[in-house]
Amino acid sequence: MAADQTLSAPLLDNVPHTVITVHENPPSQAQPPFDNHNQDSSFDEENPYGFLGAHGFEVPGPTTVDPFKNYTLGIDGLYEWVKIVVCLPIAALRLVLFGLCLTVGYVATVCALRGWEDKQNPMPKWRCRLMWVTRLCSRCILFSFGYHWIRRKGRPAPREIAPIVVSNHVSYIEPIFFFYELFPTIVASESHDSMPFVGTIIRAMQVIYVNRFSHSSRKHAVNEIKRKASCDQFPRLLLFPEGTTTNGRAIISFQLGAFIPGYPIQPVIVHYPHVHFDQSWGNISLAKLMFRMFTQFHNFMEVEYLPVVSPLENVKENAVQLAQRTSHAIATALNVVQTSHSYGDLMLMTKASEFKQDKPSLYMVEMAWIESLFRLSTLEAVDLLDKFLSMNPDSSGHVTFHDFLRILRLKPCALSEKIFQFIDVQKTGKITFKQFLLGSAHILKQPLFRHFCELAFVRCNVEGTEYISEQELGDALALVMPNLDVDGIHGLFTLFDTDGDGRISKDDFVTCLRQNPLLIALVLPQLLRRELPAAEAQDGMHDG
């Protein structure tokens, strides 16, 4: 899969995503996806989560767009085979040129960085001049990949007019091109620093590192973007707001790092016209992609600098709106659709591939939409997918009732059937990952979820200690699952004992329910109901 080049998680948790969803049945054209009417704590015999206020949900239809699919994974046709055989000697020469240019560029970069201690300030001009050697080497590297000429349209705006440049991201070729063309400062994952050759070169670009899953790291990256964009002594900044590569046939959701500072943005579009060979870095390995590039007579690449997108004057515009206008400009220029997919979908698809699923793309859910609606993080979604895949979904991505119960350590009973039916919104007797994810997220989203988790711990902890014993858990579960045997109780106890110390603390209990929100139906409603008669009798005495 493609490596990320910039931010993929939202830079600020309290700033919503740019979400433009494309569905077969868009939520905006159907009923609201989640009906939260009657938000009370009353018990519903059919809905095991009515006490939370979770009164059912709808699952949007699957999207027909796969923004990560490479459409020429195989070598098809006699022409392609003949071309590859003919180009093999040329590919060998290109590989030598690539290695030579990479070595020379690396040495020049090491010389430019040698003795430079003050990396918080702009790189001295003599060091920047030395980096021209590396920049020329990068152009030769593009030549070795078959990009003998590159068609350009428009011109880069002066740095003082547009200090930030954003581009769509299709392949590893764009960073090489922009390094040669603009020598910008980029935002990159911290993992890039340890990559051979690449780490050294991007350090010379005064890279802004970010850990996409760390709030403090994302916040620091935003501050650095603001600081460097505001100083003309620094190079212009380049960001790929999609956060990962796509196949160029769609624009996925934009992250907000480039737009939070509120500076004018110059959008750039990169297009790779092709007939036989799709150059996108999607579901294809880097080695195979490089081999196919080396064995082409010529690879086409077109770059167009679009008009600068400036924050609206006399109108209060936030980062989301500026990102929307910019993404619309790029999508319009490319003549492609916009979707709510994100890097999170790529992680989900990768996880499904690791589990040898026949159709990994079935597990994409348009994570930007999910994150915006539920504040569910990508890592939480991946954990839920890991649990779902352990249920042995069939080739169409569906899970049966039996496998659902096996992983959640449940026994067949009236309550477990209601839990499954709550997820099975289409009443087919099977569930998909999207249903499992949305149902779990819908429960987690309820404002009182954490409160009820803590209340359930108190109700189960009959002895009033800091821990729940296996006997106490078994007594509580017996109220809702009378057919639960000793092995079943022990299985659930092990599930709740998240730290494996042989006892369930409050943190263990809450953590387990956050990881398995569907299980909250086991440990609270009947415990609360058990106290209702006494409470009603006491109320009657007061009324009398």
Side-chain angles (χ1 to χ4, degrees):
M1 288 298 171
D4 57 286
Q5 298 290 343
T6 183
L7 306 177
S8 177
L11 286 169
L12 291 179
D13 289 343
N14 60 352
V15 179
H17 287 268
T18 303
V19 180
I20 304 173
T21 309
V22 177
H23 294 290
E24 290 182 347
N25 299 303
S28 61
Q29 297 178 6
Q31 296 178 0
F34 298 96
D35 179 12
N36 287 331
H37 66 278
N38 190 25
Q39 293 277 353
D40 56 42
S41 297
S42 61
F43 292 99
D44 186 336
E45 291 294 339
E46 298 302 321
N47 177 11
Y49 304 103
F51 68 95
L52 279 173
H55 293 279
F57 62 98
E58 292 183 359
V59 179
T63 176
T64 58
V65 178
D66 182 351
F68 306 112
K69 181 179 180 180
N70 183 296
Y71 287 88
T72 60
L73 285 176
I75 302 174
D76 296 326
L78 179 62
Y79 169 77
E80 274 297 289
W81 280 107
V82 170
K83 180 175 62 177
I84 288 174
V85 172
V86 170
C87 285
L88 283 177
I90 301 174
L93 293 175
R94 287 175 170 176
L95 184 60
V96 171
L97 176 61
F98 168 75
L100 180 63
C101 292
L102 189 62
T103 301
V104 173
Y106 175 74
V107 171
T109 304
V110 170
C111 292
L113 290 175
R114 188 175 181 83
W116 184 36
E117 301 293 340
D118 186 14
K119 294 183 172 60
Q120 292 300 309
N121 290 315
M123 176 181 279
K125 291 191 178 299
W126 73 267
R127 295 182 186 273
C128 291
R129 294 190 186 99
L130 188 54
M131 285 300 299
W132 262 107
V133 176
T134 309
R135 295 174 68 177
L136 291 174
C137 287
S138 68
R139 182 60 187 93
C140 293
I141 287 174
L142 291 176
F143 188 88
S144 72
F145 282 125
Y147 298 94
H148 307 125
W149 64 86
I150 297 173
R151 181 183 174 188
R152 296 173 178 81
K153 184 178 179 181
R155 306 183 70 129
R159 198 258 184 229
E160 58 270 18
I161 294 178
I164 299 176
V165 173
V166 300
S167 171
N168 64 311
H169 199 7
V170 179
S171 179
Y172 61 86
I173 294 300
E174 299 103 56
I176 301 175
F177 169 80
F178 285 120
F179 174 77
Y180 164 71
E181 181 96 341
L182 302 176
F183 189 51
T185 291
I186 64 172
V187 177
S189 170
E190 292 175 347
S191 60
H192 286 66
D193 185 68
S194 59
M195 295 176 64
F197 298 102
V198 173
T200 300
I201 292 173
I202 64 175
R203 282 197 294 273
M205 300 170 71
Q206 302 177 83
V207 60
I208 299 172
Y209 287 119
V210 65
N211 179 348
R212 66 174 76 235
F213 302 116
S214 168
H215 173 72
S216 60
S217 177
R218 298 195 303 268
K219 186 175 181 180
H220 172 73
V222 170
N223 292 332
E224 282 296 286
I225 291 171
K226 289 180 180 178
R227 184 176 74 88
K228 293 186 175 182
S230 63
C231 177
D232 289 339
Q233 301 303 311
F234 282 103
R236 74 189 78 211
L237 286 99
L238 168 69
L239 292 95
F240 298 105
E242 292 173 291
T244 187
T245 55
T246 69
N247 57 19
R249 302 189 180 199
I251 294 296
I252 64 175
S253 63
F254 274 15
Q255 306 308 305
L256 302 178
F259 309 99
I260 291 174
Y263 287 99
I265 305 280
Q266 181 167 34
V268 184
I269 62 171
V270 181
H271 179 52
Y272 298 88
H274 69 275
V275 176
H276 302 285
F277 167 49
D278 181 357
Q279 299 153 66
S280 64
W281 191 6
N283 53 333
I284 184 172
S285 68
L286 176 60
K288 185 174 182 179
L289 187 61
M290 291 178 65
F291 174 78
R292 293 296 301 276
M293 287 182 175
F294 280 141
T295 54
Q296 301 294 311
F297 293 126
H298 174 75
N299 288 309
F300 292 91
M301 178 179 182
E302 298 176 355
V303 179
E304 181 178 355
Y305 293 91
L306 301 180
V308 173
V309 178
S310 300
L312 298 176
E313 296 183 4
N314 303 321
V315 176
K316 189 174 182 180
E317 184 179 44
N318 59 29
V320 173
Q321 294 165 327
L322 181 58
Q324 286 175 339
R325 291 201 292 124
T326 306
S327 63
H328 178 72
I330 291 177
T332 300
L334 286 170
N335 192 28
V336 298
V337 298
Q338 296 173 271
T339 79
S340 290
H341 293 93
S342 73
Y343 178 73
D345 290 284
L346 190 59
M347 289 184 65
L348 293 172
M349 192 164 59
T350 302
K351 172 66 73 173
S353 297
E354 292 172 356
F355 274 73
K356 310 299 183 184
Q357 293 299 302
D358 294 336
K359 298 178 181 178
S361 60
L362 290 174
Y363 298 93
M364 294 190 297
V365 294
E366 296 188 274
M367 268 305 300
W369 175 66
I370 299 290
E371 289 177 318
S372 176
L373 189 61
F374 298 106
R375 300 298 180 191
L376 186 77
S377 72
T378 296
L379 293 180
E380 289 176 313
V382 171
D383 287 342
L384 286 170
L385 176 59
D386 190 69
K387 188 175 298 293
F388 184 84
L389 292 173
S390 65
M391 298 177 185
N392 297 325
D394 59 26
S395 59
S396 62
H398 290 81
V399 163
T400 63
F401 177 60
H402 173 75
D403 288 324
F404 174 81
L405 296 187
R406 174 175 54 83
I407 297 303
L408 291 182
R409 319 282 176 90
L410 301 177
K411 295 292 184 180
C413 65
L415 178 60
S416 59
E417 289 178 1
K418 291 175 184 177
I419 292 173
F420 186 81
Q421 290 169 1
F422 181 83
I423 300 298
D424 181 18
V425 294
Q426 296 179 343
K427 308 308 177 189
T428 62
K430 295 182 178 181
I431 59 172
T432 65
F433 171 63
K434 198 168 190 177
Q435 292 171 337
F436 180 69
L437 177 68
L438 292 180
S440 299
H442 182 41
I443 296 168
L444 279 171
K445 179 188 177 184
Q446 301 307 315
L448 294 177
F449 178 82
R450 171 83 187 196
H451 168 74
F452 278 121
C453 288
E454 294 175 351
L455 181 60
F457 177 82
V458 174
R459 294 291 190 270
C460 292
N461 187 10
V462 177
E463 297 181 3
T465 63
E466 294 182 359
Y467 302 94
I468 295 176
S469 66
E470 188 166 339
Q471 179 65 45
E472 287 176 318
L473 183 66
D475 291 343
L477 295 177
L479 296 171
V480 293
M481 301 182 71
N483 62 336
L484 198 60
D485 55 19
V486 175
D487 290 337
I489 294 172
H490 182 70
L492 281 166
F493 181 83
T494 303
L495 187 65
F496 274 90
D497 181 19
T498 56
D499 60 6
D501 64 354
R503 52 188 184 178
I504 303 174
S505 67
K506 183 177 179 180
D507 287 341
D508 289 338
F509 194 83
V510 174
T511 298
C512 177
L513 290 179
R514 278 202 60 83
Q515 295 172 347
N516 306 275
L518 298 175
L519 295 183
I520 197 172
L522 300 180
V523 295
L524 189 65
Q526 294 297 331
L527 291 173
L528 292 177
R529 180 173 297 191
R530 182 177 63 180
E531 298 182 357
L532 287 181
E536 290 173 355
Q538 188 174 8
D539 289 341
M541 292 176 60
H542 287 306
D543 291 341

